[in-house]
């Protein structure tokens, strides 16, 4: 370890002139810059005016003492390393100083080599801490406040509501069709809030089997059930001081709705198998693509929970209702995918823009994003044309078939009405699912989103129709 030209000076607080001069020489011999102080007052003054990187202070001073210097240093910067020097025989003081935040101590008479070693270690610790802060900042800016793209007035209203909600601690309900950006907005809300430094914990209520959901949410105690070998914290606990994102809250089974309601009202819950309840400080953001009001009317959803969740509802309009965003999103996705794929920037042909604007985007922004990704991969020239978007293939298959023949002539109408209808329905569903799976490259989750059914529903259908 050696001194770097960027290293900050060392503040040396020692009242005895001869010792101070000796230590100064030792440090300067290794290219350190030294600032001197003879008592607490001078040290405090120097701390304020010179921003030292390490403080080296005698514990006993003529006015004030090393503890005062230590406190002043820590007040200025809790990470500032302070090394105290203490006379032989007063080790107890050194221990106290370390309890109060001193990095280390040197016993007098001070051995210059030992001193240098300690100072350099302190400086390198400080460099690491500074690098760590920078890395964290860089990471945060990369992961960053997620970028919400679009300038359609309808989206502007949503972002305004989001900013207002971020300033409070209220429960927020994000409503919107699949792929409209509910999760993106939930993350943005977290980053904009005072909880940004805390955790963002997400749980998808539709993706976890009902019998596991409770332990996922609330955790369990050791021995709560067979296999519970150790205590496990739930998402509510993990989100302490941060944000808990309850995704697809509309799929929450009735049995758990009451438990969630209590957790929301009291910020308190029980671990499974636990005997006392746990208090947490979390902001809840819930999302749904299901009309919860209708679910309440159909008695599939508790009204009290609905009211509790919808204190601050934010509804994200589907992409087709904010056409102003389509082009802007498309261009930003083109830029991103070109960068990711190391391609030079691609232009968007007017015909392609027309297709993008005319299309219905049932899968909203996610569908647009997938479409652009595919187009960027397919485009070999420098411009994306309508054919690269492949949007006409997505039009209704019935329309495509009618070109050859009357489609009704191909349908088996034998049997009772119920039987015939059911056959047709099964046929339609099977085709629709196969098509969605193809579009989603076999990803069941994405296919469910395209079809706007829950993951569970789609899984059941896949089994029923033996589609793999
Ligand atoms: N306004 C936007 N700007 C940039 N990217 C967006 C925007 N809206 C959505 N996206 C992107 O679209 C994709 C889908 O968004 P997100 O997952 O947040 O949707 P969602 O509403 O949660 O969908 P689902 O109901 O299917 O879970 C994500 O990759 C997201 O980053
Ligand atoms: Mg989502």
């Amino acid at each position: 370890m050696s001194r770097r030209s960027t290293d900050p000076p060392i503040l040396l607080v020692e009242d005895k002139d001869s010792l101070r001069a000796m230590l100064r020489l030792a440090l300067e011999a290794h290219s350190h810059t030294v600032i001197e102080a003879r008592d607490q007052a001078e040290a405090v003054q120097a701390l304020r005016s010179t921003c030292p990187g390490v403080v080296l202070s005698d514990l006993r001073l003529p006015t004030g003492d090393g503890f005062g210097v230590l406190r002043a240093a820590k007040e200025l910067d809790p990470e500032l390393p302070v090394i105290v020097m203490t006379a032989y025989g007063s080790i107890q003081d050194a221990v106290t100083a370390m309890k109060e935040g001193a990095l280390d101590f040197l016993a007098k008479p001070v051995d210059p080599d030992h001193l240098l070693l300690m100072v350099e270690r302190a400086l390198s610790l400080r460099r690491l801490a500074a690098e760590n802060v920078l890395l964290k900042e860089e990471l945060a800016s990369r992961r960053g406040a997620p970028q919400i793209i679009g300038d359609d007035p309808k989206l502007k209203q949503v972002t305004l509501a989001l900013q207002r909600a971020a300033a409070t601690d209220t429960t927020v309900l994000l409503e919107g069709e699949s792929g409209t950006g509910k999760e993106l907005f939930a993350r943005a809300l977290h980053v904009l809030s005072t909880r940004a430094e805390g955790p963002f914990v997400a749980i998808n209520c539709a993706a976890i089997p009902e019998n596991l959901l409770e332990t996922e949410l609330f955790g369990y105690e050791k021995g709560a059930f067979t296999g519970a070998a150790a205590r496990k914290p739930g998402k509510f606990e993990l989100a302490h001081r941060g944000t808990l994102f309850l995704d697809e809250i509309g799929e929450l089974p009735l049995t758990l709705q009451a438990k969630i309601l209590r957790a929301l009202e009291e910020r308190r819950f029980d671990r499974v198998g636990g005997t006392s309840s746990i208090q947490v400080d979390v902001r809840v953001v819930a999302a749904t693509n299901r009309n919860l009001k209708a679910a309440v009317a159909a008695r599939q959803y508790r009204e009290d929970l609905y009211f509790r969740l919808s204190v601050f509802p934010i509804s994200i309009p589907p992409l087709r209702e904010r056409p102003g965003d389509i082009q802007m999103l498309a261009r930003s996705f083109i830029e991103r995918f070109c960068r990711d794929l190391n391609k030079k920037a691609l232009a968007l042909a007017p015909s392609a823009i027309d297709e993008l604007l005319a299309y219905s985007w049932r899968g909203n922004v996610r569908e647009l994003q997938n479409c652009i990704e595919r187009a960027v991969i397919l485009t070999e020239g420098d411009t994306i044309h309508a054919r690269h978007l492949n949007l006409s293939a997505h039009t209704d298959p019935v329309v495509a078939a009618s070109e050859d023949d009357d489609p009704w002539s191909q349908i088996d109408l034998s049997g009772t009405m119920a039987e015939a209808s059911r056959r047709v329905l099964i046929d339609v569903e099977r085709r629709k699912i196969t098509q969605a799976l193809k579009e989603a490259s076999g990803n069941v989750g994405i296919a469910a989103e395209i079809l706007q059914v829950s993951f569970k529903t789609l899984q059941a259908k896949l089994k029923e129709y033996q589609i793999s």
Side-chain angles (χ1 to χ4, degrees), residues 182-183 247 366:
K182 295 183 294 295
E183 179 157 0
D247 203 359
R366 183 181 290 110

Side-chain angles (χ1 to χ4, degrees), residues 414-424:
S414 65
T416 66
M417 182 160 81
E419 281 164 4
S421 307
R422 182 161 163 69
R423 254 196 319 270
V424 174

Side-chain angles (χ1 to χ4, degrees), residues 45 78 80 126 141 187 214 220 273 301 306 351 370 434 441 445 453:
Q45 172 68 31
L80 181 57
R126 194 155 168 81
S141 77
R187 287 182 190 276
E214 181 174 3
Y220 54 77
Y301 217 77
Y306 170 67
S351 63
N370 292 344
T434 312
S441 313
V453 299

Side-chain angles (χ1 to χ4, degrees), residues 146-150 155 159 174-187 204 245 247-248 287-289 316 319 322 325 329 332-333 336 363-370 445-446 448-450:
Q147 225 198 332
I148 295 173
I149 296 156
L155 190 79
T159 37
L174 294 165
E175 295 170 296
E177 286 180 12
S178 186
T180 44
K182 295 183 294 295
E183 179 157 0
L184 180 78
F185 278 79
R187 287 182 190 276
N204 185 331
F245 178 46
D247 203 359
E248 310 231 22
T288 179
N289 55 24
I316 310 176
L319 188 55
R322 41 184 171 108
D325 289 346
L329 281 163
S332 125
F333 291 147
R336 176 172 4 129
N364 293 291
V365 183
R366 183 181 290 110
E367 190 184 0
L368 174 61
Q369 190 172 298
N370 292 344
I446 297 176
E449 272 149 22
I450 295 172

